[in-house]
Amino acid sequence: MVAPTLPEKCGRGMWRAGAKWAVGATLLGAGGGAAAIASSDDPSTSLKICTIVPLRLFRDAVTAAVIAFDYKYSFWGVEEGSAEWLKVRHEVHNRCAHRIQELCFRNGGIYIKLGQHIGQLEYVVPQEYVQTMRASMLKRCPISSYDQVRSVFMKELGHPPENVFAEFDPVPLASASLAQVHAAKTHDGRKVAVKVQHIHLTDTAVADIVTVDFLVNFLHRCFPAFDYRWLVDEVRESAPKELDFLFEARNSEKCLDNFRRLSPHIADSIYAPKIYWNLSTPRLLTMEFMDAAEITDVTGIQRMGIQPADVSKLVSEAFAEMIFKHGFVHCDPHAANMMARPLPSSKWNIFRRKKPQLILLDHGLYKELDFLTRTSYAALWKGLVFADVNAIKENSVKLGAGEDLYALFAGILTMRPWKRVIDPSVDHLVLEGSEGDRSELQMYASQYLPQISELLRRLPRVILLMLKTNDCLRAVNHALGQGSSLETFLIIGRISSEAVLESKKMLNKRSFLWGLSIWFEKILLEARLFGMKVALRLLQFRKYLPKGMPA
């Protein structure tokens, strides 16, 4: 979120500016709060909310000023690039990451969501921030009391949960940044999961976004080269949609419909919980209860008779279909939002294995890719998998990376340095997940952080969300034991190539010669993918050979 180096022009005036901003922001919040109370239909609730907003503004201002001060003066007299400088930079990153973490927890609501975004931007923001947020933001989410849950029910349905359902567990199964989930049973005996929004979250969301905007803009003024205002823009656009659970419900149904229409070969393997519309409102969502294992619960997955490797391949295939063919993408696929179970129609095979079914949860954050963006992104990934330098450059430029930053864009997408991206070897994109890999990537991320910030400024926001989605999927595959496997990249290469061919067909449907050239290109693609599969099997076979034995 902040720079590893400091512009010389950020002098002592920064601290005074931060203090003035703290006072001004607090007064602004108080004035806005008074206006809200006067115009509200529920003055008592608005009064409670508006007493919170100035306090949040003050916390934001103090945190921003302390961070700016820390970055400015911790490096005073330290030679840039020296061992001491690297040590100081790591310590400052850690301190400031924990300050932002504490701010997110104290303010709650949209701030938690922002912290989760940061935790999913590996190698795009400093690692200290990623690791701090990732270690805590999914585990320490706020929990509403049962009285607060009852209050939401009364406001939304006019009855308490114990009247709406035959059974309702007051202890939540899980809690997230915006809501928590309770187990319940309907009066006709069906077990359901009820997602209940944290109380007053809708009322405070707008104010939260404004205060976050103040924070990020202040830090940008202090460190102009490091611009993460796009992250606030994304939260501002996505938050209202994520706070409307009916919007989420419609997304889940549209997602499944896309698989049935556009990817029928795996449609049965993708599932989303059934929605009980008569028991759902914008702040309450009643869904079918899923008896399945969390996507990273390797032991639980194996206990059900399905293999983690098969689950990993299904995850890769499902999201490649969404990104390259549907253009309607679930952009929050972290471990808590996916589950796996045996495909209901699946039977044991001779190896005592069943086919998996992927269950997608939390459909609040989706992004649509228009035809040109989707096609260029598919062509870019095809170029990355097949190490096609011209295709990588051409499509990176189309997506906004520019002639100067296309190599960096390719590196961020694949988490590999440019020399590996263009290496013609079949496993050139595979990440082993070793400490050496991680150290190398962190070195590149630190070295090119100003360029990364500039790249993020140029790219369309929908592509920035694809970067986040890639990071989430990479983390899930790593937990399943696959890492960034060659099998994963073969799946991406096949589906992205199919999407490119389909787009070519759409652009010229009537020409016989054009159709013939596409058919020939498809034959060459199949041959190329077959060769890569053979190479994959040989690489896997070599792993089982005793050391020193020739392959």
Side-chain angles (χ1 to χ4, degrees), residues 319-551:
F319 278 86
E321 292 279 339
M322 277 194 270
I323 292 168
F324 303 127
K325 293 185 178 180
H326 305 177
F328 185 67
V329 187
H330 188 311
C331 288
D332 202 13
H334 59 72
N337 286 343
M338 292 190 286
M339 304 179 83
R341 67 179 180 183
L343 187 66
S345 60
S346 176
K347 297 180 179 179
W348 294 95
N349 64 17
I350 58 173
F351 300 108
R352 300 292 293 170
R353 290 165 62 171
K354 290 186 174 183
K355 291 182 179 179
Q357 184 179 61
L358 174 65
I359 299 167
L360 297 173
L361 307 173
D362 196 349
H363 297 263
L365 182 58
Y366 270 74
K367 282 294 174 182
E368 295 197 49
L369 286 78
D370 62 61
F371 177 78
L372 291 177
T373 301
R374 178 170 60 83
T375 303
S376 297
Y377 194 59
L380 171 58
W381 267 107
K382 178 186 175 184
L384 290 168
V385 172
F386 295 127
D388 184 339
V389 177
N390 290 332
I392 294 170
K393 181 177 180 180
E394 177 187 347
N395 291 287
S396 294
V397 171
K398 283 182 181 179
L399 291 169
E403 296 274 351
D404 54 334
L405 294 179
Y406 70 89
L408 179 63
F409 185 30
I412 289 175
L413 282 170
T414 61
M415 295 295 110
R416 307 306 285 143
W418 178 246
K419 64 181 180 181
R420 289 286 292 165
V421 171
I422 60 175
D423 188 329
S425 61
V426 70
D427 60 343
H428 68 293
L429 297 182
V430 175
L431 274 169
E432 298 296 336
S434 65
E435 193 56 42
D437 261 348
R438 180 168 288 277
S439 297
E440 181 182 23
L441 290 170
Q442 289 177 359
M443 180 192 71
Y444 277 103
S446 298
Q447 183 178 351
Y448 295 108
L449 195 58
Q451 291 90 335
I452 290 173
S453 181
E454 171 60 18
L455 176 65
L456 299 181
R457 187 189 66 78
R458 294 182 189 180
L459 293 173
R461 284 215 310 277
V462 69
I463 296 299
L464 298 178
L465 263 291
M466 293 304 103
L467 296 180
K468 174 196 169 185
T469 302
N470 287 343
D471 283 343
C472 289
L473 295 174
R474 194 178 290 114
V476 166
N477 281 328
H478 181 76
L480 287 167
Q482 298 302 295
S484 296
S485 71
L486 180 53
E487 190 98 40
T488 296
F489 287 115
L490 282 177
I491 291 169
I492 292 172
R494 173 176 58 81
I495 296 174
S496 62
S497 299
E498 289 172 357
V500 171
L501 287 174
E502 287 173 10
S503 68
K504 288 182 178 180
K505 284 182 186 178
M506 289 180 64
L507 292 173
N508 198 332
K509 295 180 180 179
R510 297 182 180 180
S511 169
F512 172 76
L513 290 177
W514 183 256
L516 187 64
S517 69
I518 290 175
W519 176 83
F520 185 65
E521 189 175 341
K522 187 173 183 179
I523 296 297
L524 290 178
L525 171 65
E526 292 295 338
R528 195 171 188 180
L529 288 170
F530 178 77
M532 293 181 76
K533 286 180 182 178
V534 172
L536 169 63
R537 299 292 174 255
L538 289 174
L539 286 172
Q540 290 174 334
F541 176 71
R542 289 180 63 181
K543 290 182 180 179
Y544 294 103
L545 292 176
K547 289 184 178 180
M549 181 179 290

Side-chain angles (χ1 to χ4, degrees), residues 7 40 93 123 132 150 154 237 271 281 300 306 341 365 370 442:
S40 174
H93 279 343
Y123 309 114
T132 299
R150 289 181 90 255
M154 292 300 296
E237 181 181 313
Y271 194 77
T281 75
I306 54 179
R341 67 179 180 183
L365 182 58
D370 62 61
Q442 289 177 359

Side-chain angles (χ1 to χ4, degrees), residues 171-293:
V171 179
L173 294 169
S175 183
S177 57
L178 305 182
Q180 60 193 44
V181 178
H182 293 258
K185 186 175 287 187
T186 63
H187 288 289
D188 58 1
R190 289 173 291 182
K191 192 173 182 181
V192 294
V194 186
K195 185 174 180 179
V196 185
Q197 194 172 114
H198 295 309
I199 196 165
H200 301 320
L201 195 55
T202 305
D203 302 311
T204 60
V206 174
D208 283 352
I209 292 169
V210 171
T211 58
V212 168
D213 194 30
F214 271 121
L215 174 64
V216 174
N217 272 284
F218 177 75
L219 293 175
H220 172 61
R221 284 196 294 273
C222 296
F223 310 110
F226 298 88
D227 188 357
Y228 289 91
R229 290 175 295 176
W230 61 268
L231 193 55
V232 180
D233 291 338
E234 178 52 43
V235 172
R236 182 185 291 109
E237 181 181 313
S238 63
K241 297 175 182 177
E242 291 189 79
L243 290 169
D244 183 350
F245 292 167
L246 296 181
F247 182 83
E248 174 183 340
R250 289 190 290 271
N251 281 346
S252 70
E253 294 193 343
K254 182 176 179 179
C255 173
L256 293 184
D257 183 60
N258 282 343
F259 275 102
R260 286 189 290 267
R261 290 186 304 104
L262 304 173
S263 308
H265 58 291
I266 63 166
D268 288 343
S269 298
I270 312 300
Y271 194 77
K274 176 186 173 183
I275 305 297
Y276 292 86
W277 289 96
N278 62 319
L279 297 173
S280 299
T281 75
R283 298 177 66 191
L284 284 173
L285 184 61
T286 303
M287 305 164 283
E288 174 187 4
F289 187 90
M290 304 310 305
D291 186 13

Side-chain angles (χ1 to χ4, degrees), residues 127-152:
Q127 280 301 294
E128 292 83 356
Y129 287 86
V130 172
Q131 291 163 3
T132 299
M133 301 303 171
R134 187 171 288 180
S136 59
M137 285 297 159
L138 292 175
K139 297 176 181 177
R140 286 178 55 191
C141 290
I143 297 177
S144 295
S145 68
Y146 186 56
D147 284 342
Q148 290 173 324
V149 169
R150 289 181 90 255
S151 178
V152 173

